[in-house]
Amino acid sequence: MLPKILVVDDDRYTRTLIEQLMRKSAEVHLAESGELARELFAAIDFNLVLMDQRLPQVKGLDLLREFRLQRPKLVAILITGHADVRDAVAAVREGLFDYLTKPFEDLEALEAVIGKALELDRAYREIDSLRTRLAVESGAPDIIGQSPPMERLLGQVREVAALDTTVLLEGESGTGKDVIAKLIHAWSLRSSKPYLEVNCGGLPESLLESLLFGYEKGAFTGAAQANPGYFEKAHGGNLFLDEIADMSPKLQSSLLRVLQDRSFCRIGSTNPRKTDFRLICATNRPLAGEVKAGRFREDLYYRINVVALNLPPLRERGDDIVRLAVHFLDRYNTKFGKDCGPFTPAAVRALEACRWPGNVRELQHCIERVVALQPGGVIDASHLSPTCDFLPELDPQDKTTALPTLAYQEARTEFERDYMRRLLEAAGGNMSEAARCSGIPRQNLYVRMKRWGFVID
Ligand SMILES: Nc1ncnc2c1ncn2[C@@H]1O[C@H](COP(=O)(O)OP(=O)(O)OP(=O)(O)O)[C@@H](O)[C@H]1O
Ligand SMILES: [Mg+2]
């Protein structure tokens, strides 16, 4: 379904321009007055409102404030003239997505701003629908993953969850192996049965052994009472062995025997007990490498590598970065009783440009810190950088983060210069490659680059 955009402007030229620009990718509704805009807004659930500040009867910003009382998460863009910079800045401070200055000279930039605004609206809606779904489907962890690599992964999870096969989860630290393991349990036929998890790297060998196998009374000093272990407690359900690569050689061979016979003995007993659990393992060091290095038993590796699922690093998840950021913003606003957000376009750009070596966990901590430290209001790139060590350094030449404080013409110039410079860098100085990446015809691009002195005849 196409997103719905409302354009409110008394100037016919502006209305038609935006309609023509967006009509292929959105359902565009036009209103030339505040009154008509109110009627349309009451009847239709818009994904984005583009509002002129100077309407005959009412100020655009006031009308948007009215709309936001009805729908606090409305994503809107204020259209202003050059003289209204103050209103525009106020609008962004109040949490409107962005502002645009008339006349529009650069249609590509206009389209890009609208595209980003729609992306943010999509993220808000997905979080809301997720919350409703979770209320119904309780038990499953809340997982954000609409990017192609995550869609693929979740499809595989759905396939294997219902089977009883052993699953091996591989992926960098913080990519969500724990949450996927819980999801497999929630989606499995064993979901009403126990789910037990243990971190094999976190415990000394003997403690891990007694935790998994259980023990009889008097099996060792301190064993005052018999105690069932996880192999027993997980009967009928799912057992998650996290950081499996850290398991000691001795326990690796004990585990292999349990998996072969589906039976085990408590420590201090020779009485074998049957157990039926489905095993889920996780590791952030690829197990094949551990086998090669002689640190992990090859036979055990084949036993647990029945279905291997790979969790993609966050930097490869595209739009999910913004979705996750909005999700965590929402969570920590609720937790700390605050009203921070939304993110400014510069903040969104910074989040997307970050390499996130700590993956989802790192992003989560970054947003938690920002919400904890900020009294409220919009979150700009400058708020994010002190709380996240991994955000790309703000280049002193890069004025794009300061755009909202500049007059439109000046900001546009800054943006174009910065864009062209980065484009040329990314393309390694190759103009054909730069033309291909940017979608700007080569000749046209050449003229613009020349204007900035990035190429010479
Ligand atoms: N797709 C997701 N949607 C929402 N939250 C997520 C998602 N993936 C991970 N998280 C959150 O990120 C944090 C880290 O995830 P998790 O503990 O599952 O990572 P991990 O891969 O097990 O990391 P490690 O290798 O360090 O154990 C958790 O707080 C988790 O709730
Ligand atoms: Mg983990």
Side-chain angles (χ1 to χ4, degrees):
M1 212 171 48
L2 289 177
K4 298 187 184 70
I5 301 182
L6 173 63
V7 183
V8 190
D9 201 315
D10 55 333
D11 171 29
R12 192 160 67 91
Y13 173 75
T14 309
R15 291 195 307 266
T16 327
L17 180 85
I18 298 177
E19 190 197 11
Q20 284 182 351
L21 187 70
M22 297 308 298
R23 76 173 157 213
K24 281 216 182 86
S25 49
E27 183 184 312
V28 186
H29 294 253
L30 306 173
E32 71 274 8
S33 68
E35 213 170 312
L36 181 56
R38 277 196 190 97
E39 277 175 29
L40 286 169
F41 190 77
I44 299 172
D45 180 19
F46 288 105
N47 299 85
L48 170 65
V49 176
L50 285 127
M51 175 76 74
D52 183 27
Q53 167 69 341
R54 296 194 181 185
L55 291 167
Q57 317 254 296
V58 61
K59 276 191 160 190
L61 189 53
D62 289 338
L63 192 55
L64 280 178
R65 287 181 182 134
E66 194 183 307
F67 285 179
R68 292 190 118 212
L69 285 179
Q70 299 169 44
R71 264 193 53 203
K73 286 187 182 152
L74 172 70
V75 177
I77 294 174
L78 190 70
I79 305 173
T80 65
H82 287 298
D84 308 318
V85 178
R86 225 178 274 266
D87 294 324
V89 173
V92 174
R93 292 242 162 82
E94 282 181 31
L96 294 189
F97 181 67
D98 209 347
Y99 70 90
L100 293 165
T101 314
K102 282 197 285 195
F104 307 123
E105 281 160 21
D106 189 339
L107 294 185
E108 286 162 27
L110 175 62
E111 212 178 337
V113 170
I114 295 179
K116 279 275 167 223
L118 287 172
E119 195 179 295
L120 195 67
D121 173 77
R122 228 172 13 247
Y124 279 132
R125 283 170 194 266
E126 279 164 10
I127 302 303
D128 281 348
S129 77
L130 187 74
R131 209 179 283 130
T132 335
R133 226 174 47 231
L134 277 174
V136 181
E137 228 182 81
S138 63
D142 43 348
I143 291 191
I144 310 295
Q146 274 83 13
S147 61
M150 280 306 282
E151 290 256 326
R152 211 172 310 128
L153 176 78
L154 293 174
Q156 292 170 328
V157 169
R158 234 177 231 294
E159 290 289 315
V160 301
L163 309 175
D164 264 351
T165 46
T166 303
V167 179
L168 174 62
L169 301 171
E170 292 191 313
E172 291 176 17
S173 180
T175 45
K177 297 182 292 298
D178 281 62
V179 274
I180 293 291
K182 286 198 184 76
L183 189 67
I184 293 177
H185 173 69
W187 282 352
S188 74
L189 302 175
R190 297 167 176 255
S191 60
S192 59
K193 297 283 165 48
Y195 173 76
L196 286 126
E197 56 176 280
V198 56
N199 184 335
C200 303
L203 297 172
E205 182 187 82
S206 56
L207 215 57
L208 180 59
E209 185 182 22
S210 59
L211 192 79
L212 290 175
F213 286 81
Y215 49 84
E216 295 295 351
K217 183 177 175 183
F220 46 81
T221 348
Q225 269 167 359
N227 210 346
Y230 279 17
F231 290 149
E232 231 168 308
K233 289 188 193 163
H235 183 69
N238 289 295
L239 174 64
F240 175 43
L241 297 182
D242 202 0
E243 310 294 358
I244 186 86
D246 291 339
M247 194 176 250
S248 71
K250 177 179 163 216
L251 277 183
Q252 286 179 32
S253 62
S254 320
L255 175 62
L256 180 65
R257 273 197 305 281
V258 176
L259 296 180
Q260 277 162 349
D261 313 346
R262 293 281 154 186
S263 75
F264 68 97
C265 298
R266 285 184 183 179
I267 299 170
S269 157
T270 49
N271 177 24
R273 293 163 189 267
K274 281 276 168 214
T275 173
D276 163 39
F277 58 82
R278 151 185 325 143
L279 183 65
I280 306 169
C281 299
T283 173
N284 51 28
R285 277 180 278 146
L287 269 195
E290 294 299 299
V291 171
K292 237 188 213 135
R295 287 188 292 263
F296 201 82
R297 288 183 70 114
E298 193 168 10
D299 42 9
L300 179 59
Y301 173 58
Y302 288 122
R303 277 263 158 200
I304 60 180
N305 186 23
V306 182
V307 174
L309 299 180
N310 229 304
L311 276 91
L314 181 58
R315 60 186 168 277
E316 288 172 12
R317 297 192 200 173
D319 292 354
D320 275 355
I321 298 178
V322 177
R323 291 193 185 95
L324 280 160
V326 169
H327 166 72
F328 292 131
L329 180 63
D330 195 58
R331 176 189 296 179
Y332 292 110
N333 268 334
T334 310
K335 182 169 171 191
F336 301 138
K338 293 207 179 170
D339 192 12
C340 292
F343 295 105
T344 64
V348 169
R349 267 201 305 276
L351 291 170
E352 284 179 340
C354 183
R355 293 201 45 80
W356 300 114
N359 294 297
V360 185
R361 181 179 296 113
E362 189 64 52
L363 173 61
Q364 180 178 352
H365 289 167
C366 170
I367 306 297
E368 179 176 7
R369 284 191 291 262
V370 170
V371 178
L373 292 173
Q374 232 178 264
V378 287
I379 298 177
D380 193 20
S382 56
H383 301 121
L384 292 171
S385 45
T387 68
C388 177
D389 304 338
F390 303 108
L391 280 190
E393 288 230 343
L394 296 178
D395 182 341
Q397 273 179 294
D398 174 8
K399 291 207 188 136
T400 42
T401 47
L403 289 186
T405 58
L406 302 176
Y408 178 67
Q409 283 304 334
E410 220 181 307
R412 210 173 79 96
T413 310
E414 283 307 330
F415 173 81
E416 178 162 326
R417 195 208 323 264
D418 190 52
Y419 177 80
M420 292 296 165
R421 183 173 58 81
R422 284 166 187 244
L423 178 65
L424 201 61
E425 271 170 20
N430 181 329
M431 197 62 84
S432 308
E433 174 67 10
R436 198 186 57 73
C437 291
S438 61
I440 304 174
R442 195 175 181 284
Q443 194 52 34
N444 191 338
L445 188 65
Y446 189 77
V447 172
R448 294 193 200 192
M449 291 278 188
K450 229 168 79 171
R451 189 187 312 155
W452 298 120
F454 298 144
V455 292
I456 37 175
D457 286 316

